[in-house]
Amino acid sequence: MRLLPVSVICFAAFNLLIGAAKAAPITIYDGSSVPQAQGWGRKTWDGGATVTVGLTTTEFNTQVGLTTKIDNYFSQTSAGNFVASISLSVISSFNTPNDAGLAFSVFGDPSIHFTSDPANNLMIGQSSVGWGDGAASVPLNTGSFHEYAIRYLEGNLDVYIDTPFGDIVAGTAVPVLSRANPVIYGLPGVIVFGDNSWTTVHNSRYVVDSVTFEALPEPTGTLLMAGGLAGILFRRKRRHL
């Protein structure tokens, strides 16, 4: 049987590894209609938010009537490691630890209103963003549109703001918040955003442009694949000695 040249095998291995690292991000919500119209689930209490659809963005308002309103949107994806982001601007948002007027998480649970682990939620307030348990935060003018990205990689969480997906995937971007080996009560890969406040004080009003998702190549699988190709090359070399 005719064997492939070593150069061909090397080229194939290179393209296989590079191709795995170049999985393109996908938009799972584009703001041009209500989330349910694009496959998202919804959990509400006390009627939920009023939703106003614009040309390319959608406004969510849980402050209508000054009653307690909970309004969350869930989209379930399938990936071991991934990056998810939401692009939004805040009109008003008031958060306290364990009471999120506006939060974004990659550990949702469609059976409840939000995750039961605020430590893993990214709270987006009026002038700062931080972990839902108040452990760490960074100041930010959230009234402007920003893209808030969360990377889940090998059990660790990293948060980025206005950072290209390519840099996050490549590992060259510096996160603004990090959390190692978080305890997860929700389901990894269930993207959720919305209001989880049980009070009339901490409700929110915000405008969403898009939600984006990208699966990351599994490091273990990539190493095994590379090792297998290296083994083929080694056996070929020995055969020709």
Side-chain angles (χ1 to χ4, degrees):
M1 185 175 80
R2 184 174 178 272
L3 295 175
L4 292 173
V6 173
S7 61
V8 172
I9 296 177
C10 289
F11 182 76
F14 175 80
N15 279 286
L16 189 60
L17 296 175
I18 294 300
K22 284 187 175 180
I26 59 172
T27 299
I28 55 179
Y29 176 56
D30 67 10
S32 65
S33 60
V34 295
Q36 303 96 296
Q38 298 183 44
W40 288 66
R42 187 186 191 190
K43 291 289 184 180
T44 66
W45 185 74
D46 192 25
T50 59
V51 180
T52 305
V53 178
L55 291 177
T56 60
T57 60
T58 298
E59 180 183 317
F60 301 84
N61 185 2
T62 60
Q63 296 176 318
V64 178
L66 297 180
T67 58
T68 302
K69 295 182 181 294
I70 290 180
D71 194 70
N72 303 148
Y73 297 87
F74 297 84
S75 180
Q76 186 159 355
T77 59
S78 179
N81 296 311
F82 55 87
V83 182
S85 73
I86 187 168
S87 175
L88 62 81
S89 67
V90 172
I91 299 173
S92 59
S93 176
F94 302 95
N95 298 318
T96 62
N98 303 315
D99 194 9
L102 175 58
F104 177 58
S105 176
V106 297
F107 300 132
D109 185 343
S111 66
I112 58 177
H113 288 297
F114 217 82
T115 63
S116 57
D117 55 340
N120 299 323
N121 298 341
L122 181 66
M123 282 190 179
I124 304 172
Q126 195 76 43
S127 57
S128 66
V129 298
W131 298 120
D133 61 355
S137 64
V138 293
L140 184 70
N141 174 19
T142 58
S144 301
F145 270 97
H146 294 286
E147 184 173 21
Y148 305 93
I150 299 178
R151 182 181 68 176
Y152 180 58
L153 179 62
E154 297 300 291
N156 298 314
L157 280 178
D158 294 299
V159 174
Y160 305 83
I161 299 175
D162 299 329
T163 304
F165 258 57
D167 294 344
I168 299 174
V169 172
T172 58
V174 178
V176 297
L177 295 168
S178 294
R179 190 149 248 174
N181 301 311
V183 177
I184 301 170
Y185 295 96
L187 305 174
V190 177
I191 313 305
V192 57
F193 70 89
D195 178 279
N196 194 39
S197 172
W198 289 90
T199 72
T200 59
V201 177
H202 302 136
N203 292 334
S204 61
R205 186 178 178 186
Y206 57 99
V207 180
V208 176
D209 176 66
S210 62
V211 180
T212 306
F213 179 87
E214 180 173 352
L216 298 178
E218 302 297 326
T220 302
T222 301
L223 288 174
L224 288 174
M225 191 165 44
L229 290 169
I232 292 173
L233 292 175
F234 180 74
R235 286 194 298 272
R236 280 180 49 81
K237 183 177 180 181
R238 286 180 59 90
R239 193 175 298 166
H240 285 82
L241 289 177

